[in-house]
Amino acid sequence: MARTYDVVLWGATGFTGGLVAEYLAKKHGVGRELRWAIGGRNREKLEKVRAGLQAIDPAANDLALVVGDGKDRAALDRMAIDARVVCSTVGPYALHGRELVGACVEAGTDYCDLTGEPQFVRAMIDEHHARAGQTGARIVHCCGYDSIPSDLGTLMLEEYACERHGTRCEEVKHFAGESKGGMSGGTAASMVELMDEATRDPGIRRLLDDPYSLAPSDSATGRDGHDQRGVRWDSDVGMWTGPFLMAAINTRVVRRSNALLEHAWGEDFRYREAMTFGKGARGWLFAAGVAAGTTVGMAAMAVGPVRRLAAERFLPASGEGPSKEVRDAGYFVSRLVGTMRGDAGKLRGTVRGVSDPGYGETAKMLGESAVCLAKDDGKTRKEGGVLTPASSMGMTLVERLRAAGMTFEVTGPGE
């Protein structure tokens, strides 16, 4: 069905939404290869965003505005019908994203976001996966720093193993290494909302503890256990490792990808994540300090008054985020090690970004995900459902991100 827009960017007046709008204007222009619009609740703020984009591309003067409320289902239905893809930056998604996903599912409209909220993703799977399969809507969560380096990095290793060595990786380990970046008010609000829900609902706590919480309910589960909580030496990277906070969403996304790809990587496929902290006594002390701090911090945030105090006094407010200087000085490096089946050896992969991981690079990852869904027909999955980046866009998105300046590379034994 013909649609007015290839992409509607929903939440363009927010901090991250503004960055995605800037990225689309710089990389894809306005009204040339991509027909897109910006959307949100406040027309005056949308007009201000549009005016700012004219410094990047004068054609932004003609950029369409879509005004509506995230709780107004009729307005969301109209927007979904008009768009091939809705790209949402409006979080916390557990509070503000449910109606929009429902509208996209019913309209057969593709959708992507940058949520890192596992309880929201699980709810969308339960409510919409089957129906999205009927309407053809591809609902793709976690298209930012959570969880593209993990999900597409794993896919990259698995495809390399298949093409070059005629096998698959039975285990992939992802190591979040050196990085530099900041936090926005939207990210802080999502963290607080997740802790609020987990405090109230034992079911959410069980979901967060389940390593296969995002897998299809009728899918076989593998051999993975809890995310790393303490300090370990890993000989594959030659460094001490500790817990990685975002493993709680990333590992579940990767395992869902394997299930949605019909267990192409094996029903016994194993995946885990950790952070690297260097070698020797200094590396161990750093890892131990982070592990202890993570445990104490999570326990403190589970206490309502402490959580509210942190939100009010120490975490950035809604609409706030790192400055351009901080974003431009940011970067991240993720290392992956894949153990191939049999005696085929090990693969080593790198995913690298050249700006703040949660904002500069996330704007790139989310923006290219939206364009990939809108423009790469015939190269991506056709079937609808609540999907993952790897199971929906696969290596097509990897190639887009490489062209946009991110590094995705693999070396094999002897290379």
Side-chain angles (χ1 to χ4, degrees), residues 175-260:
F175 300 95
E178 308 94 298
S179 66
K180 183 178 181 182
M183 177 182 287
S184 77
T187 298
S190 293
M191 292 171 58
V192 171
E193 172 60 23
L194 175 57
M195 293 304 298
D196 282 343
E197 292 190 36
T199 301
R200 295 191 305 266
D201 186 349
I204 298 296
R205 295 196 294 274
R206 289 192 295 271
L207 182 146
L208 296 176
D209 198 48
D210 179 0
Y212 291 91
S213 60
L214 301 185
S217 57
D218 59 350
S219 172
T221 55
R223 297 157 52 192
D224 286 322
H226 297 298
D227 299 324
Q228 182 171 332
R229 294 170 179 170
V231 178
R232 297 179 190 172
W233 172 261
D234 194 289
S235 58
D236 282 326
V237 288
M239 286 186 274
W240 290 102
T241 68
F244 180 42
L245 185 62
M246 303 320 299
I249 182 66
N250 295 340
T251 57
R252 279 71 170 169
V253 168
V254 171
R255 292 171 194 139
R256 181 169 178 80
S257 288
N258 185 37
L260 292 175

Side-chain angles (χ1 to χ4, degrees), residues 19 29 40 49-50 74 96 101 104 163 176 198 200 224 272 330 381 409:
L19 296 179
V49 171
R50 180 169 61 183
H96 306 300
V101 172
C104 289
E163 293 172 6
R200 295 191 305 266
D224 286 322
R272 69 180 181 88
R381 177 181 177 132
E409 60 186 15

